[in-house]
Amino acid sequence: MTEAAPAPTLRHRDDVQGLRAIAVLTVIASHANVPFLPGGFVGVDVFFVISGFLISQLLFREVERSGRVSIPGFYARRARRILPAATLVTIATIIASAIWLSAIDLLEVVKDALWAVFFAANIHFAAVGTDYFASQDPPSPLQHYWSLSVEEQFYLVWPALLLVLVLVARRRALPRGLVLAVLAVVTTASFVWSVVSTHNSP
């Protein structure tokens, strides 16, 4: 019985850590209402790019090493990295809400938690945020889960897409040209959809 190949790893990169620090400071400055640094969303975008870059490198190295992408292995690594902290924060938030909030507000927090658990908080909060009757509701203590939900939804698609491209190419090496072409098409289509939908439903 052969041993499973070890999970791919990445070396420490000072440039990536520096970008992470800048992103964190940008988000903190925005929440602290620093007058000349209002764009905290830029910091979140930087986090998305860094995460996509690092995860893509891990997936690409796995393909170069083994000629395939292990979807179960990928999600096992994501679960070990994300679930413990995310679960702890969710449970602690529900407990704190039960202590300090009313029963009605607690029910809303529990609903938000269920959406967060299934990494769909962004969909839920977008619906609530555009609901006329909910426009005066206070922000959810779990509102920050929208960004984690976006990230994990991306990782439902990206490894599977890469696996399909590897199978289509029918070779052990990473089909870089094919990956680049598909990314260009998907990115263009996403941008066009964003422009059209934002114009139709701002």
Side-chain angles (χ1 to χ4, degrees):
M1 181 177 180
T2 59
E3 293 184 4
T9 57
L10 295 175
R11 64 179 178 83
H12 177 86
R13 292 187 51 160
D14 291 335
D15 54 349
V16 171
Q17 296 305 319
L19 283 173
R20 278 179 168 160
I22 292 172
V24 168
L25 292 174
T26 304
V27 173
I28 292 173
S30 177
H31 284 290
N33 294 319
V34 176
F36 55 90
L37 288 173
F41 58 88
V42 176
V44 178
D45 288 344
V46 171
F47 273 116
F48 285 152
V49 173
I50 291 173
S51 178
F53 171 74
L54 294 175
I55 293 296
S56 295
Q57 275 201 324
L58 287 172
L59 290 170
F60 292 171
R61 289 187 181 187
E62 183 177 355
V63 173
E64 295 290 356
R65 191 185 75 252
S66 64
R68 64 186 181 87
V69 175
S70 172
I71 299 296
F74 173 81
Y75 288 123
R77 292 191 298 272
R78 291 300 295 171
R80 286 193 297 270
R81 180 177 177 83
I82 297 297
L83 290 183
T87 303
L88 176 62
V89 171
T90 302
I91 293 173
T93 302
I94 292 174
I95 293 172
S97 299
I99 295 171
W100 285 301
L101 299 181
S102 67
I104 294 176
D105 290 336
L106 173 61
L107 179 60
E108 292 304 314
V109 172
V110 171
K111 290 179 183 177
D112 296 343
L114 288 174
W115 284 91
V117 163
F118 293 102
F119 298 113
N122 59 320
I123 298 170
H124 171 62
F125 291 133
V128 171
T130 54
D131 184 348
Y132 175 81
F133 297 103
S135 60
Q136 301 302 315
D137 289 349
S140 169
L142 294 169
Q143 193 172 42
H144 57 285
Y145 272 80
W146 75 266
S147 58
L148 180 61
S149 297
V150 169
E151 185 176 8
E152 296 312 309
Q153 288 162 22
F154 173 75
Y155 291 131
L156 284 176
V157 177
W158 180 223
L161 178 60
L162 185 60
L163 176 61
V164 169
L165 296 180
V166 169
L167 293 175
V168 168
R170 294 184 178 180
R171 55 193 178 93
R172 292 182 65 85
L174 181 70
R176 296 180 185 276
L178 182 59
V179 170
L180 182 60
V182 170
L183 280 179
V185 170
V186 171
T187 301
T188 302
S190 174
F191 177 73
V192 170
W193 177 81
S194 175
V195 170
V196 171
S197 63
T198 301
H199 175 74
N200 293 335
S201 181

